Amino acid sequence: MTSEKKPADEPLYTPPPNFIKDVVKADLAAGKHAAVRTRFPPEPNGYLHIGHAKSICLNFGLANEFGGACNLRFDDTNPTKESVEYVDSIKADVRWLGFSWDGEPRYASDYFEQLYEFAVKLIKLGKAYVDSLTAEEIREYRGTLTEPGKNSPYRERGVEENLDLFTRMRAGEFPDGTHVLRARIDMAHPNIVMRDPAIYRIRHAHHHRTGDAWCVYPLYDFTHCLSDMIEGVTHSICTLEFENNRELYDWVLDTLHTPCHPRQYEFARLNMTHTVMSKRRLIQLVTEGHVAGWDDPRMPTISGMRRRGYPPAALRTFCERIGVSRSENRVEFALLEHCVREELNRNAPRVMGVVRPLKVVIENYPEDQVEWFEFPFNPEDPAQGSRQLPFSREIYVEQDDFREEAPKKWFRLAPGAEVRLRYAYYLTCTGVVKNADGQVVELRATIDPESRGGWTKDGRKVKGTLHWLSAAHALPAEVRLYDLLFPMENPMGAEEGRTFTDNVNPESLTIARGFVEPSLAEQKPGFICQFERVGYFCLDPDTVKDELVFNRTATLRDTWAKIEAKG
RNA sequence: UGGGGGAUCGUCUAGCGGCAGGACGAUGGGUUCUGGCCCCAUUAACCGAGGUUCGAAUCCUCGUCCCCCAGCCA
């Protein structure tokens, strides 16, 4: 029995479980916290990508699902790499994804004074000291993965001397690199992170928010846990590579006897086929000019996907479908594309767009006649309305829809073949016009007047339906056809002597000169639609008056291509 | 070779001692004025070897493979 209906009170959709939700649920049930508080803590040193979207959806999603709050906090402790440009783009991207952070954005730099006081306290506790070894020496003293490190000669400096030195570090008495504040833990610790990690370094650098107020800046391990604590974060969620740092996270909070102690949980970062995800590599693609910028529609950045026409809801759905676990993964690009199509199929209006035009002259249609036909914006959803489109003697169809020699199972246009022009007439190809090179440049055809509106009373079967445009009324458009940035699943799998940028797909962008229906003249950049039978397209910001520029967001699934590929 | 993690259909993921389930993909079919959407079906997995148990993906032991850590980056 497959036709049983679900009871009305059963939810249609339940968000999938994951191990972090389990923890949150258990903590809430145990009364460990009054409410959950998470945070998304990007460093403003680059643009956000789809991997960040996973973290954003997780952190904000947890807050939403369990009635808590999520902070946006910029981890801005490295002034030489960070900038307001990145801060602004990150805020815009999070908002665009559909999330609202609790209160104002937070900045680790807002906590610099408190952090400094905590450092002083650590010194007074005898748990931190000023080291005056060079960076090089510190590395040598650290030992290796298999050998213990050894103590710095400065490790036994007294509290007063440390206090004095640290004060003078802050006061700007020393040049960069001369001293560093280190936690005093254990140079023989099996976890290298715990071998007296540096927590403050001298950097005479201008900070994008604090200006020149500071010349000592705290490091990640010291800053992050305390920032979480200050904000009352309950669950501090990060990626797997910070697993080793958790021990230090806990050490700092325990040693300082802080009023609360957030717990860190790690999940596996997102990897995807056919792209790269690390900040360093994305920067390289931009600076070496392999793409046009951070928001190039081929980039896995949030801004790139936005420009490509991916709806935020599709990204959210994607993040939910990929799940959250602790195992290494490489998600297929096809899943992302599926989520995009699913969303766009529901919402994108259908329009007529011909990407590679082929002119057809309808010999039995009067030269000066124009008829208007009604086209629904979405045949499956009448609520989306309709518009009128003109038909005339000369039209454009898609080059791909004509074959001089029809292969097996071909039911598009070919000499002598009859097809349907969507919502208009049945059309039969009666002749082919070629240029000197033998290329087909124009078709001759006739229509069946009885088929007006796109159907006939005799119920004759016409399998192929084509999109088309009245040549005289069509708007010219530049159409940017995007494909995979890298043809192979793993771009990093380059052979010896080559690097991943050598793998950039030379056909990841091809530009076509096409036409679109006149109703699109007034649309604004960001407008997303479906060119019927072709794909989803989005009006690009490069659009200027009389020169529409469309980005191909995604193709439609192409069953014919598969049939033909199989022979 | 120190320490910390991870291995379930092609891919992602569920499972918490009791019928290995879902999604994507692939394949076949139905429907169709988009070769789209939708619908149906098929495909296909517990890293290995032992052990505990009436019963193990799950618990134990021993292996194998993969990832992370030696920044004054995050």
Side-chain angles (χ1 to χ4, degrees):
Chain A
M1 204 67 62
T2 54
S3 59
E4 279 176 42
K5 285 186 179 157
K6 285 185 172 183
D9 57 352
E10 189 175 318
L12 289 169
Y13 178 74
T14 325
N18 64 56
F19 74 98
I20 297 179
K21 272 187 199 180
D22 293 344
V23 170
V24 171
K25 264 185 215 165
D27 288 350
L28 254 19
K32 195 168 165 188
H33 310 290
V36 59
R37 180 172 292 270
T38 54
R39 100 270 91 114
F40 173 60
E43 181 188 11
N45 70 342
Y47 280 66
L48 261 26
H49 54 65
I50 184 71
H52 293 109
K54 178 179 181 181
S55 173
I56 291 167
C57 290
L58 214 207
N59 279 294
F60 284 91
L62 241 23
N64 289 158
E65 189 171 344
F66 297 101
C70 181
N71 295 351
L72 172 63
R73 181 175 73 238
F74 292 96
D75 223 330
D76 56 349
T77 57
N78 190 352
T80 58
K81 290 189 176 170
E82 298 152 5
S83 76
V84 287
E85 177 200 352
Y86 295 128
V87 169
D88 292 342
S89 75
I90 289 168
K91 287 193 233 174
D93 287 347
V94 173
R95 265 195 290 256
W96 178 77
L97 270 174
F99 296 105
S100 308
W101 48 85
D102 186 63
E104 291 298 309
R106 327 286 169 113
Y107 296 82
S109 55
D110 288 345
Y111 311 139
F112 279 174
E113 194 61 51
Q114 290 176 76
L115 260 15
Y116 181 85
E117 290 308 320
F118 279 122
V120 167
K121 186 174 172 187
L122 228 37
I123 292 172
K124 288 178 177 167
L125 255 19
K127 297 293 188 183
Y129 62 98
V130 173
D131 198 356
S132 306
L133 252 25
T134 64
E136 172 82 4
E137 289 166 331
I138 286 181
R139 193 183 333 128
E140 286 163 7
Y141 275 67
R142 186 154 30 227
T144 69
L145 294 179
T146 50
E147 309 156 50
K150 56 184 181 188
N151 291 350
S152 163
Y154 303 101
R155 197 174 195 264
E156 300 306 326
R157 282 216 258 236
V159 169
E160 289 313 314
E161 187 185 358
N162 282 321
L163 248 21
D164 173 62
L165 253 15
F166 191 48
T167 306
R168 290 163 61 198
M169 280 168 66
R170 176 180 183 172
E173 287 188 29
F174 310 114
D176 289 6
T178 48
H179 304 283
V180 63
L181 185 69
R182 292 232 253 169
R184 198 164 178 274
I185 307 178
D186 178 3
M187 286 307 291
H189 202 289
N191 180 357
I192 290 177
V193 170
M194 299 296 277
R195 317 239 260 233
D196 288 12
I199 58 178
Y200 263 92
R201 81 289 221 186
I202 301 171
R203 276 264 203 292
H204 291 270
H206 188 82
H207 187 279
H208 66 100
R209 297 197 84 238
T210 59
D212 299 312
W214 294 87
C215 61
V216 288
Y217 292 93
L219 280 114
Y220 169 84
D221 287 303
F222 186 68
T223 308
H224 205 89
C225 53
L226 289 169
S227 301
D228 283 343
M229 183 278 294
I230 290 167
E231 294 178 13
V233 165
T234 55
H235 303 264
S236 179
I237 299 163
C238 63
T239 45
L240 247 25
E241 67 269 25
F242 291 100
E243 230 172 330
N244 297 325
N245 301 60
R246 187 175 61 225
E247 193 169 6
L248 180 51
Y249 185 107
D250 289 332
W251 181 91
V252 171
L253 296 181
D254 286 341
T255 305
L256 255 10
H257 293 100
T258 55
C260 74
H261 188 138
R263 292 296 158 183
Q264 174 178 308
Y265 299 92
E266 310 88 15
F267 69 97
R269 69 184 319 139
L270 170 66
N271 297 294
M272 288 195 66
T273 61
H274 304 289
T275 193
V276 292
M277 209 73 97
S278 83
K279 225 172 253 185
R280 203 200 100 233
R281 295 193 185 101
L282 294 179
I283 287 172
Q284 197 179 337
L285 288 170
V286 172
T287 56
E288 291 180 7
H290 301 286
V291 296
W294 285 101
D295 68 343
D296 186 295
R298 291 166 290 182
M299 290 284 273
T301 50
I302 308 282
S303 51
M305 292 183 177
R306 174 168 59 231
R307 187 162 182 180
R308 175 85 172 245
Y310 288 9
L315 266 47
R316 278 185 253 122
T317 303
F318 172 73
C319 289
E320 195 163 275
R321 298 234 173 119
I322 58 175
V324 179
S325 75
R326 289 174 64 89
S327 32
E328 294 289 324
N329 59 80
R330 186 184 290 282
V331 175
E332 288 178 347
F333 178 76
L335 179 58
L336 210 210
E337 204 164 46
H338 167 82
C339 295
V340 169
R341 289 195 183 113
E342 181 179 64
E343 187 65 28
L344 260 19
N345 177 55
R346 265 199 294 273
N347 304 315
R350 273 58 172 173
V351 302
M352 291 293 134
V354 175
V355 174
R356 301 182 209 277
L358 175 60
K359 186 175 275 188
V360 181
V361 177
I362 302 164
E363 297 181 310
N364 65 341
Y365 199 84
E367 271 186 50
D368 51 0
Q369 187 173 324
V370 175
E371 282 179 281
W372 293 79
F373 291 102
E374 182 169 6
F375 283 60
F377 279 118
N378 187 338
E380 283 157 24
D381 181 12
Q384 292 185 30
S386 64
R387 79 288 185 199
Q388 305 280 125
L389 253 36
F391 182 85
S392 65
R393 180 179 160 93
E394 294 194 355
I395 63 172
Y396 292 122
V397 298
E398 204 71 59
Q399 284 175 23
D400 282 354
D401 284 336
F402 173 79
R403 288 290 171 83
E404 197 168 6
E405 313 226 354
K408 247 195 164 90
K409 292 184 186 169
W410 176 262
F411 41 85
R412 276 121 91 150
L413 213 49
E418 184 177 53
V419 297
R420 173 187 293 110
L421 294 178
R422 186 123 157 112
Y423 303 127
Y425 285 108
Y426 289 179
L427 176 111
T428 301
C429 175
T430 56
V432 176
V433 179
K434 295 182 182 178
N435 65 11
D437 301 329
Q439 292 168 313
V440 177
V441 293
E442 188 180 295
L443 299 180
R444 298 283 159 157
T446 57
I447 52 148
D448 177 359
E450 295 300 310
S451 64
R452 193 170 185 284
W455 59 279
T456 54
K457 284 183 200 152
D458 63 9
R460 157 162 40 118
K461 221 165 64 176
V462 177
K463 284 206 92 174
T465 298
L466 268 47
H467 59 285
W468 56 274
L469 241 19
S470 167
H473 302 83
L475 263 30
E478 174 179 322
V479 186
R480 297 175 180 170
L481 304 167
Y482 293 104
D483 204 342
L484 299 171
L485 221 205
F486 297 95
M488 65 288 289
E489 292 210 337
N490 181 8
M492 299 312 294
E495 59 227 58
E496 202 67 31
R498 286 164 63 92
T499 169
F500 78 101
T501 54
D502 296 328
N503 290 329
V504 169
N505 179 6
E507 288 169 10
S508 58
L509 169 60
T510 54
I511 297 180
R513 312 250 8 137
F515 292 98
V516 297
E517 62 173 68
S519 81
L520 263 29
E522 303 305 318
Q523 294 297 346
K524 297 278 176 289
F527 170 75
I528 310 172
C529 57
Q530 181 194 110
F531 290 2
E532 283 208 42
R533 303 207 313 123
V534 182
Y536 296 98
F537 292 81
C538 161
L539 241 203
D540 190 82
D542 284 349
T543 293
V544 291
K545 195 176 186 320
D546 298 329
E547 184 53 61
L548 301 175
V549 178
F550 282 94
N551 296 319
R552 182 171 66 194
T553 306
T555 61
L556 254 30
R557 285 187 65 206
D558 190 351
T559 304
W560 163 250
K562 279 181 197 168
I563 294 169
E564 190 169 38
K566 277 187 296 188

